[in-house]
Amino acid sequence: MAVVAAYRAIADDLRRRIEAGEFAPGDPLPSRAELARDYGVGSNVAASAVRVLVADGLARGRAGRGVFVRERPSSRTMARSWTQERLQGRLAVTGGGRGLTDDDGRSVRGTPRSTTGEAPEEIARRLDVPAAEPVIRSEYLISRDGRPAMFCVSWEPLGITGGTPVSLPGAGPMAGSSVVARMSYIGLRITRSTETVTARTATRAEAEVLDLAPGAPVAAIERTYYAGERPLETADLVVPGERFRLAYEIPAEPAES
């Protein structure tokens, strides 16, 4: 058997075994040494067969851990409208169909890591403040059912929250609460938000934190909260595209003139 035919034959057999359920999504594939022994080929041929599965999107490698069967695309829907879950700092997710609720409360928000610094030019534009304006930068991960669901990096003008009990999203009386609740605590009412969504591939850092294969699709959301016309917070949110769809509810009532 030619070398090329050998590794493709092994890849085809592994694909058949995956489709038959012998290896379920998330299961590890046999090691290169095990494949070489089981199929009677050299380790390089076994490695080439696995690379075919990775290239076809059926498997993915995890540094230092091996190669695993890739999860199938999910039909779960994440609501990005003004749900009670979102106002409470959780995710509103369903497994499909109608009704966008997270009744089991399985969203877990990690403790934000916050630093103080100068606003980059693009962030200053989004916050409508001068470039290099002092801001609080925070990053955190939201998980659902034990899997990463959203990676968030946010910026708030230090002139708004600095010196208040909510200056750090992960500390104080409103630790872990939503931006809406934190701003309300200091007398600022968020009246609207804007979101711009871009479909792209995950960066290496995003893939690592979201437990994705390098180059996996993500939805990148640029979000800004406003009190009237004043931006109070802006954030970059990254959602795994293979795990969630995004849903927006748009009121049909005409805007007031």
PDB file of all heavy atoms in Angstrom, residues 35-65:
ATOM      1  N   LEU A  35      -1.976   4.254  17.195  1.00  0.00           N
ATOM      2  CA  LEU A  35      -2.455   4.118  15.817  1.00  0.00           C
ATOM      3  C   LEU A  35      -1.457   3.348  14.966  1.00  0.00           C
ATOM      4  O   LEU A  35      -1.841   2.498  14.148  1.00  0.00           O
ATOM      5  CB  LEU A  35      -2.721   5.503  15.216  1.00  0.00           C
ATOM      6  CG  LEU A  35      -3.906   6.279  15.773  1.00  0.00           C
ATOM      7  CD1 LEU A  35      -3.949   7.681  15.173  1.00  0.00           C
ATOM      8  CD2 LEU A  35      -5.215   5.549  15.482  1.00  0.00           C
ATOM      9  N   ALA A  36      -0.177   3.660  15.154  1.00  0.00           N
ATOM     10  CA  ALA A  36       0.858   2.962  14.390  1.00  0.00           C
ATOM     11  C   ALA A  36       0.822   1.462  14.677  1.00  0.00           C
ATOM     12  O   ALA A  36       0.941   0.632  13.756  1.00  0.00           O
ATOM     13  CB  ALA A  36       2.227   3.544  14.725  1.00  0.00           C
ATOM     14  N   ARG A  37       0.632   1.116  15.944  1.00  0.00           N
ATOM     15  CA  ARG A  37       0.575  -0.302  16.320  1.00  0.00           C
ATOM     16  C   ARG A  37      -0.700  -0.959  15.787  1.00  0.00           C
ATOM     17  O   ARG A  37      -0.661  -2.046  15.200  1.00  0.00           O
ATOM     18  CB  ARG A  37       0.624  -0.428  17.838  1.00  0.00           C
ATOM     19  CG  ARG A  37       0.623  -1.887  18.333  1.00  0.00           C
ATOM     20  CD  ARG A  37       0.375  -1.958  19.821  1.00  0.00           C
ATOM     21  NE  ARG A  37      -0.975  -1.485  20.143  1.00  0.00           N
ATOM     22  CZ  ARG A  37      -1.237  -0.577  21.089  1.00  0.00           C
ATOM     23  NH1 ARG A  37      -0.255  -0.033  21.788  1.00  0.00           N
ATOM     24  NH2 ARG A  37      -2.486  -0.214  21.329  1.00  0.00           N
ATOM     25  N   ASP A  38      -1.847  -0.299  15.963  1.00  0.00           N
ATOM     26  CA  ASP A  38      -3.126  -0.897  15.580  1.00  0.00           C
ATOM     27  C   ASP A  38      -3.249  -1.079  14.067  1.00  0.00           C
ATOM     28  O   ASP A  38      -3.867  -2.057  13.600  1.00  0.00           O
ATOM     29  CB  ASP A  38      -4.279  -0.032  16.085  1.00  0.00           C
ATOM     30  CG  ASP A  38      -4.379  -0.017  17.607  1.00  0.00           C
ATOM     31  OD1 ASP A  38      -3.749  -0.889  18.254  1.00  0.00           O
ATOM     32  OD2 ASP A  38      -5.064   0.867  18.151  1.00  0.00           O
ATOM     33  N   TYR A  39      -2.694  -0.148  13.301  1.00  0.00           N
ATOM     34  CA  TYR A  39      -2.839  -0.209  11.839  1.00  0.00           C
ATOM     35  C   TYR A  39      -1.589  -0.750  11.146  1.00  0.00           C
ATOM     36  O   TYR A  39      -1.569  -0.877   9.916  1.00  0.00           O
ATOM     37  CB  TYR A  39      -3.175   1.176  11.285  1.00  0.00           C
ATOM     38  CG  TYR A  39      -4.592   1.609  11.599  1.00  0.00           C
ATOM     39  CD1 TYR A  39      -4.865   2.413  12.708  1.00  0.00           C
ATOM     40  CD2 TYR A  39      -5.652   1.227  10.787  1.00  0.00           C
ATOM     41  CE1 TYR A  39      -6.165   2.819  13.008  1.00  0.00           C
ATOM     42  CE2 TYR A  39      -6.959   1.628  11.078  1.00  0.00           C
ATOM     43  CZ  TYR A  39      -7.213   2.421  12.183  1.00  0.00           C
ATOM     44  OH  TYR A  39      -8.508   2.821  12.480  1.00  0.00           O
ATOM     45  N   GLY A  40      -0.573  -1.046  11.915  1.00  0.00           N
ATOM     46  CA  GLY A  40       0.624  -1.628  11.338  1.00  0.00           C
ATOM     47  C   GLY A  40       1.371  -0.701  10.398  1.00  0.00           C
ATOM     48  O   GLY A  40       1.835  -1.132   9.332  1.00  0.00           O
ATOM     49  N   VAL A  41       1.476   0.571  10.793  1.00  0.00           N
ATOM     50  CA  VAL A  41       2.178   1.552   9.961  1.00  0.00           C
ATOM     51  C   VAL A  41       3.206   2.286  10.811  1.00  0.00           C
ATOM     52  O   VAL A  41       3.276   2.111  12.028  1.00  0.00           O
ATOM     53  CB  VAL A  41       1.183   2.575   9.353  1.00  0.00           C
ATOM     54  CG1 VAL A  41       0.201   1.883   8.416  1.00  0.00           C
ATOM     55  CG2 VAL A  41       0.437   3.335  10.467  1.00  0.00           C
ATOM     56  N   GLY A  42       3.988   3.133  10.167  1.00  0.00           N
ATOM     57  CA  GLY A  42       4.950   3.933  10.892  1.00  0.00           C
ATOM     58  C   GLY A  42       4.276   5.104  11.599  1.00  0.00           C
ATOM     59  O   GLY A  42       3.138   5.491  11.275  1.00  0.00           O
ATOM     60  N   SER A  43       4.973   5.698  12.565  1.00  0.00           N
ATOM     61  CA  SER A  43       4.397   6.798  13.333  1.00  0.00           C
ATOM     62  C   SER A  43       4.126   8.021  12.476  1.00  0.00           C
ATOM     63  O   SER A  43       3.162   8.764  12.720  1.00  0.00           O
ATOM     64  CB  SER A  43       5.323   7.171  14.491  1.00  0.00           C
ATOM     65  OG  SER A  43       6.603   7.582  14.010  1.00  0.00           O
ATOM     66  N   ASN A  44       4.941   8.250  11.451  1.00  0.00           N
ATOM     67  CA  ASN A  44       4.706   9.398  10.572  1.00  0.00           C
ATOM     68  C   ASN A  44       3.418   9.238   9.775  1.00  0.00           C
ATOM     69  O   ASN A  44       2.684  10.204   9.546  1.00  0.00           O
ATOM     70  CB  ASN A  44       5.889   9.594   9.623  1.00  0.00           C
ATOM     71  CG  ASN A  44       7.125  10.115  10.333  1.00  0.00           C
ATOM     72  OD1 ASN A  44       7.027  10.668  11.429  1.00  0.00           O
ATOM     73  ND2 ASN A  44       8.280   9.932   9.725  1.00  0.00           N
ATOM     74  N   VAL A  45       3.128   8.012   9.333  1.00  0.00           N
ATOM     75  CA  VAL A  45       1.873   7.751   8.611  1.00  0.00           C
ATOM     76  C   VAL A  45       0.688   7.971   9.549  1.00  0.00           C
ATOM     77  O   VAL A  45      -0.322   8.571   9.178  1.00  0.00           O
ATOM     78  CB  VAL A  45       1.867   6.312   8.057  1.00  0.00           C
ATOM     79  CG1 VAL A  45       0.497   5.996   7.434  1.00  0.00           C
ATOM     80  CG2 VAL A  45       2.961   6.137   7.030  1.00  0.00           C
ATOM     81  N   ALA A  46       0.800   7.497  10.790  1.00  0.00           N
ATOM     82  CA  ALA A  46      -0.274   7.686  11.775  1.00  0.00           C
ATOM     83  C   ALA A  46      -0.506   9.169  12.039  1.00  0.00           C
ATOM     84  O   ALA A  46      -1.656   9.631  12.112  1.00  0.00           O
ATOM     85  CB  ALA A  46       0.078   6.968  13.072  1.00  0.00           C
ATOM     86  N   ALA A  47       0.581   9.924  12.163  1.00  0.00           N
ATOM     87  CA  ALA A  47       0.455  11.359  12.409  1.00  0.00           C
ATOM     88  C   ALA A  47      -0.209  12.053  11.232  1.00  0.00           C
ATOM     89  O   ALA A  47      -1.028  12.968  11.409  1.00  0.00           O
ATOM     90  CB  ALA A  47       1.823  11.970  12.680  1.00  0.00           C
ATOM     91  N   SER A  48       0.116  11.631  10.001  1.00  0.00           N
ATOM     92  CA  SER A  48      -0.491  12.230   8.817  1.00  0.00           C
ATOM     93  C   SER A  48      -1.995  11.964   8.776  1.00  0.00           C
ATOM     94  O   SER A  48      -2.782  12.827   8.372  1.00  0.00           O
ATOM     95  CB  SER A  48       0.172  11.677   7.547  1.00  0.00           C
ATOM     96  OG  SER A  48       1.534  12.066   7.481  1.00  0.00           O
ATOM     97  N   ALA A  49      -2.412  10.783   9.202  1.00  0.00           N
ATOM     98  CA  ALA A  49      -3.837  10.454   9.228  1.00  0.00           C
ATOM     99  C   ALA A  49      -4.584  11.370  10.192  1.00  0.00           C
ATOM    100  O   ALA A  49      -5.679  11.859   9.887  1.00  0.00           O
ATOM    101  CB  ALA A  49      -4.018   8.991   9.632  1.00  0.00           C
ATOM    102  N   VAL A  50      -3.999  11.619  11.343  1.00  0.00           N
ATOM    103  CA  VAL A  50      -4.636  12.497  12.328  1.00  0.00           C
ATOM    104  C   VAL A  50      -4.708  13.926  11.793  1.00  0.00           C
ATOM    105  O   VAL A  50      -5.704  14.629  11.999  1.00  0.00           O
ATOM    106  CB  VAL A  50      -3.878  12.447  13.665  1.00  0.00           C
ATOM    107  CG1 VAL A  50      -4.405  13.506  14.628  1.00  0.00           C
ATOM    108  CG2 VAL A  50      -3.997  11.058  14.286  1.00  0.00           C
ATOM    109  N   ARG A  51      -3.657  14.341  11.093  1.00  0.00           N
ATOM    110  CA  ARG A  51      -3.669  15.699  10.532  1.00  0.00           C
ATOM    111  C   ARG A  51      -4.808  15.870   9.523  1.00  0.00           C
ATOM    112  O   ARG A  51      -5.378  16.957   9.401  1.00  0.00           O
ATOM    113  CB  ARG A  51      -2.325  16.020   9.898  1.00  0.00           C
ATOM    114  CG  ARG A  51      -1.236  16.377  10.907  1.00  0.00           C
ATOM    115  CD  ARG A  51      -0.044  17.056  10.238  1.00  0.00           C
ATOM    116  NE  ARG A  51       0.696  16.131   9.388  1.00  0.00           N
ATOM    117  CZ  ARG A  51       1.713  15.406   9.805  1.00  0.00           C
ATOM    118  NH1 ARG A  51       2.115  15.478  11.074  1.00  0.00           N
ATOM    119  NH2 ARG A  51       2.357  14.584   8.981  1.00  0.00           N
ATOM    120  N   VAL A  52      -5.147  14.805   8.805  1.00  0.00           N
ATOM    121  CA  VAL A  52      -6.275  14.871   7.874  1.00  0.00           C
ATOM    122  C   VAL A  52      -7.572  15.143   8.629  1.00  0.00           C
ATOM    123  O   VAL A  52      -8.392  15.976   8.228  1.00  0.00           O
ATOM    124  CB  VAL A  52      -6.391  13.558   7.064  1.00  0.00           C
ATOM    125  CG1 VAL A  52      -7.707  13.531   6.275  1.00  0.00           C
ATOM    126  CG2 VAL A  52      -5.221  13.416   6.116  1.00  0.00           C
ATOM    127  N   LEU A  53      -7.768  14.456   9.744  1.00  0.00           N
ATOM    128  CA  LEU A  53      -8.978  14.656  10.544  1.00  0.00           C
ATOM    129  C   LEU A  53      -9.041  16.069  11.118  1.00  0.00           C
ATOM    130  O   LEU A  53     -10.114  16.680  11.174  1.00  0.00           O
ATOM    131  CB  LEU A  53      -9.033  13.634  11.680  1.00  0.00           C
ATOM    132  CG  LEU A  53      -9.119  12.163  11.270  1.00  0.00           C
ATOM    133  CD1 LEU A  53      -9.194  11.283  12.506  1.00  0.00           C
ATOM    134  CD2 LEU A  53     -10.307  11.922  10.368  1.00  0.00           C
ATOM    135  N   VAL A  54      -7.895  16.590  11.538  1.00  0.00           N
ATOM    136  CA  VAL A  54      -7.854  17.963  12.062  1.00  0.00           C
ATOM    137  C   VAL A  54      -8.181  18.953  10.957  1.00  0.00           C
ATOM    138  O   VAL A  54      -8.968  19.887  11.149  1.00  0.00           O
ATOM    139  CB  VAL A  54      -6.472  18.264  12.678  1.00  0.00           C
ATOM    140  CG1 VAL A  54      -6.366  19.737  13.056  1.00  0.00           C
ATOM    141  CG2 VAL A  54      -6.227  17.382  13.905  1.00  0.00           C
ATOM    142  N   ALA A  55      -7.591  18.753   9.772  1.00  0.00           N
ATOM    143  CA  ALA A  55      -7.839  19.657   8.647  1.00  0.00           C
ATOM    144  C   ALA A  55      -9.302  19.610   8.210  1.00  0.00           C
ATOM    145  O   ALA A  55      -9.856  20.621   7.767  1.00  0.00           O
ATOM    146  CB  ALA A  55      -6.930  19.296   7.477  1.00  0.00           C
ATOM    147  N   ASP A  56      -9.946  18.444   8.352  1.00  0.00           N
ATOM    148  CA  ASP A  56     -11.349  18.302   7.964  1.00  0.00           C
ATOM    149  C   ASP A  56     -12.304  18.781   9.050  1.00  0.00           C
ATOM    150  O   ASP A  56     -13.531  18.736   8.866  1.00  0.00           O
ATOM    151  CB  ASP A  56     -11.656  16.836   7.635  1.00  0.00           C
ATOM    152  CG  ASP A  56     -11.017  16.388   6.331  1.00  0.00           C
ATOM    153  OD1 ASP A  56     -10.554  17.270   5.573  1.00  0.00           O
ATOM    154  OD2 ASP A  56     -10.977  15.173   6.072  1.00  0.00           O
ATOM    155  N   GLY A  57     -11.766  19.219  10.193  1.00  0.00           N
ATOM    156  CA  GLY A  57     -12.615  19.735  11.261  1.00  0.00           C
ATOM    157  C   GLY A  57     -13.242  18.678  12.141  1.00  0.00           C
ATOM    158  O   GLY A  57     -14.142  18.989  12.930  1.00  0.00           O
ATOM    159  N   LEU A  58     -12.787  17.433  12.040  1.00  0.00           N
ATOM    160  CA  LEU A  58     -13.342  16.370  12.870  1.00  0.00           C
ATOM    161  C   LEU A  58     -12.607  16.206  14.193  1.00  0.00           C
ATOM    162  O   LEU A  58     -13.137  15.598  15.130  1.00  0.00           O
ATOM    163  CB  LEU A  58     -13.299  15.034  12.115  1.00  0.00           C
ATOM    164  CG  LEU A  58     -14.235  14.916  10.911  1.00  0.00           C
ATOM    165  CD1 LEU A  58     -14.008  13.597  10.190  1.00  0.00           C
ATOM    166  CD2 LEU A  58     -15.685  15.043  11.342  1.00  0.00           C
ATOM    167  N   ALA A  59     -11.393  16.714  14.275  1.00  0.00           N
ATOM    168  CA  ALA A  59     -10.594  16.574  15.493  1.00  0.00           C
ATOM    169  C   ALA A  59      -9.799  17.854  15.708  1.00  0.00           C
ATOM    170  O   ALA A  59      -9.649  18.669  14.798  1.00  0.00           O
ATOM    171  CB  ALA A  59      -9.664  15.370  15.400  1.00  0.00           C
ATOM    172  N   ARG A  60      -9.318  18.011  16.919  1.00  0.00           N
ATOM    173  CA  ARG A  60      -8.485  19.166  17.225  1.00  0.00           C
ATOM    174  C   ARG A  60      -7.478  18.789  18.307  1.00  0.00           C
ATOM    175  O   ARG A  60      -7.746  17.956  19.175  1.00  0.00           O
ATOM    176  CB  ARG A  60      -9.306  20.366  17.673  1.00  0.00           C
ATOM    177  CG  ARG A  60     -10.072  20.174  18.976  1.00  0.00           C
ATOM    178  CD  ARG A  60     -11.034  21.327  19.173  1.00  0.00           C
ATOM    179  NE  ARG A  60     -11.757  21.224  20.438  1.00  0.00           N
ATOM    180  CZ  ARG A  60     -11.393  21.845  21.539  1.00  0.00           C
ATOM    181  NH1 ARG A  60     -10.291  22.581  21.547  1.00  0.00           N
ATOM    182  NH2 ARG A  60     -12.088  21.731  22.645  1.00  0.00           N
ATOM    183  N   GLY A  61      -6.309  19.394  18.206  1.00  0.00           N
ATOM    184  CA  GLY A  61      -5.268  19.117  19.179  1.00  0.00           C
ATOM    185  C   GLY A  61      -5.317  20.066  20.352  1.00  0.00           C
ATOM    186  O   GLY A  61      -5.740  21.222  20.218  1.00  0.00           O
ATOM    187  N   ARG A  62      -4.928  19.578  21.503  1.00  0.00           N
ATOM    188  CA  ARG A  62      -4.791  20.399  22.703  1.00  0.00           C
ATOM    189  C   ARG A  62      -3.358  20.248  23.184  1.00  0.00           C
ATOM    190  O   ARG A  62      -2.908  19.135  23.446  1.00  0.00           O
ATOM    191  CB  ARG A  62      -5.769  19.967  23.796  1.00  0.00           C
ATOM    192  CG  ARG A  62      -7.234  20.171  23.418  1.00  0.00           C
ATOM    193  CD  ARG A  62      -8.142  19.743  24.544  1.00  0.00           C
ATOM    194  NE  ARG A  62      -9.540  19.922  24.212  1.00  0.00           N
ATOM    195  CZ  ARG A  62     -10.561  19.542  24.986  1.00  0.00           C
ATOM    196  NH1 ARG A  62     -10.302  18.946  26.154  1.00  0.00           N
ATOM    197  NH2 ARG A  62     -11.807  19.750  24.621  1.00  0.00           N
ATOM    198  N   ALA A  63      -2.676  21.368  23.284  1.00  0.00           N
ATOM    199  CA  ALA A  63      -1.249  21.353  23.599  1.00  0.00           C
ATOM    200  C   ALA A  63      -0.973  20.535  24.856  1.00  0.00           C
ATOM    201  O   ALA A  63      -1.557  20.786  25.918  1.00  0.00           O
ATOM    202  CB  ALA A  63      -0.740  22.779  23.774  1.00  0.00           C
ATOM    203  N   GLY A  64      -0.095  19.554  24.705  1.00  0.00           N
ATOM    204  CA  GLY A  64       0.317  18.738  25.835  1.00  0.00           C
ATOM    205  C   GLY A  64      -0.698  17.713  26.286  1.00  0.00           C
ATOM    206  O   GLY A  64      -0.461  16.989  27.265  1.00  0.00           O
ATOM    207  N   ARG A  65      -1.851  17.623  25.588  1.00  0.00           N
ATOM    208  CA  ARG A  65      -2.908  16.712  26.040  1.00  0.00           C
ATOM    209  C   ARG A  65      -3.298  15.677  24.992  1.00  0.00           C
ATOM    210  O   ARG A  65      -3.872  14.647  25.324  1.00  0.00           O
ATOM    211  CB  ARG A  65      -4.142  17.513  26.459  1.00  0.00           C
ATOM    212  CG  ARG A  65      -3.883  18.466  27.625  1.00  0.00           C
ATOM    213  CD  ARG A  65      -5.090  19.342  27.893  1.00  0.00           C
ATOM    214  NE  ARG A  65      -6.262  18.566  28.245  1.00  0.00           N
ATOM    215  CZ  ARG A  65      -7.477  19.107  28.418  1.00  0.00           C
ATOM    216  NH1 ARG A  65      -7.651  20.406  28.236  1.00  0.00           N
ATOM    217  NH2 ARG A  65      -8.505  18.348  28.734  1.00  0.00           N
TER     218      ARG A  65
END
